[in-house]
Amino acid sequence: MEKRKEEMAKQPIGRLLLRYSAPAMVAMMVNSLYNLVDAIFVGQGVGHLALAALAVSFPIQMFILAIAQVVGIGSASIISRSLGAGEQRRAERTAGTSFICVVVLSILLAAVGLGFLRPILRLFGATPAIMPYAVDYLSVILAGNFFFAYAVSSNNLVRSEGNVKVAMYSMFLGAGINIILDPIFIFGLNMGIRGAAIATVIANMLVFVFLTSYFLSGNSLLKIRRTDLWPDFSIIPEMA
């Protein structure tokens, strides 16, 4: 950990950009496999209507991604600047606030999304023929959206402390588990498009376990206490 701190403080910016951006780009490309793999298996195993349901559901998944990125990137900016300034406690309070924001926003997204699922899907173009498939898929995704949002947000926190490889490994883990589970649930268990959604949620749950284990292992620069797991918005004007 100390070596990572020293490296980020003393290495030339250009060298750090090259070293840390490459794993991040690879991870982003791997992360895009989620929807691609779902589309391949659903198209082969369920049919064109289910494939259309994935297309209708995709913007809603991107909205969840955007919310998670807002929390993650904003928090990462404050954390990286705090660590650079030697403000360890401020960085840890920011991480704790980030986790709580993800929990609250995920609950709100699930409540609103599941409560108005059919009107939302109609708004995005779901026809009566597509609707049953879209409901089967998106209801599962929304119910487990916390794990996806946590993975996206927390990966930004991991990058903010300079450990881009852990963030990359977490995305490889999620994509790999999704590739393995998709055919099992879709074909083996004959669960159709709902099986694809369940596979995605399980993959994100394992990423949640992986990232949480990292934060608790002592390998992270952030030592988050129970008292940090409470919103502390005073960090925002402090870092402005």
Side-chain angles (χ1 to χ4, degrees):
M1 290 188 294
E2 293 301 321
K3 181 181 178 182
R4 197 159 71 242
K5 274 186 178 180
E6 184 178 351
E7 180 183 69
M8 293 183 69
K10 296 181 178 179
Q11 289 289 331
I13 297 297
R15 185 179 301 173
L16 287 173
L17 277 173
L18 289 174
R19 180 169 182 176
Y20 288 112
S21 62
M25 288 187 291
V26 171
M28 290 297 180
M29 288 188 288
V30 169
N31 197 46
S32 67
L33 289 174
Y34 274 100
N35 293 99
L36 177 61
V37 168
D38 280 353
I40 292 171
F41 284 118
V42 166
Q44 293 293 319
V46 189
H48 68 283
L49 290 176
L51 198 57
L54 286 182
V56 169
S57 302
F58 185 70
I60 301 165
Q61 291 178 272
M62 289 300 98
F63 180 76
I64 298 171
L65 171 68
I67 295 296
Q69 288 282 35
V70 166
V71 176
I73 293 174
S75 300
S77 173
I78 298 175
I79 289 170
S80 59
R81 286 183 286 157
S82 296
L83 290 174
E87 297 284 349
Q88 181 73 23
R89 287 297 298 132
R90 187 176 296 169
E92 292 164 351
R93 282 159 46 209
T94 302
T97 299
S98 171
F99 295 146
I100 295 302
C101 285
V102 167
V103 171
V104 172
L105 291 171
S106 297
I107 292 172
L108 289 174
L109 285 170
V112 174
L114 293 172
F116 299 93
L117 184 56
R118 289 179 180 273
I120 291 172
L121 287 169
R122 278 194 291 269
L123 180 66
F124 283 98
T127 64
I130 295 171
M131 184 66 73
Y133 297 98
V135 169
D136 277 353
Y137 181 79
L138 197 58
S139 59
V140 175
I141 294 296
L142 285 170
N145 86 90
F146 162 73
F147 299 105
F148 175 57
Y150 177 91
V152 171
S153 177
S154 295
N155 270 321
N156 284 289
L157 305 192
V158 174
R159 291 190 196 98
S160 73
E161 61 173 36
N163 209 336
V164 290
K165 288 185 178 179
V166 168
M168 182 179 69
Y169 295 153
S170 75
M171 289 191 175
F172 271 103
L173 173 66
I177 295 297
N178 190 50
I179 290 171
I180 294 170
L181 293 182
D182 259 351
I184 294 174
F185 283 102
I186 295 172
F187 302 109
L189 299 177
N190 199 29
M191 297 180 70
I193 193 171
R194 180 177 287 270
I198 292 172
T200 298
V201 171
I202 291 175
N204 286 320
M205 288 174 67
L206 293 176
V207 174
F208 165 81
V209 172
F210 175 80
L211 289 173
T212 301
S213 298
Y214 167 74
F215 285 122
L216 297 177
S217 67
N219 294 321
S220 171
L221 297 178
L222 303 170
K223 311 301 180 187
I224 301 165
R225 303 159 177 81
R226 289 184 182 179
T227 54
D228 294 326
L229 298 176
W230 187 259
D232 183 3
F233 297 112
S234 64
I235 55 177
I236 298 174
E238 286 178 4
M239 293 303 299

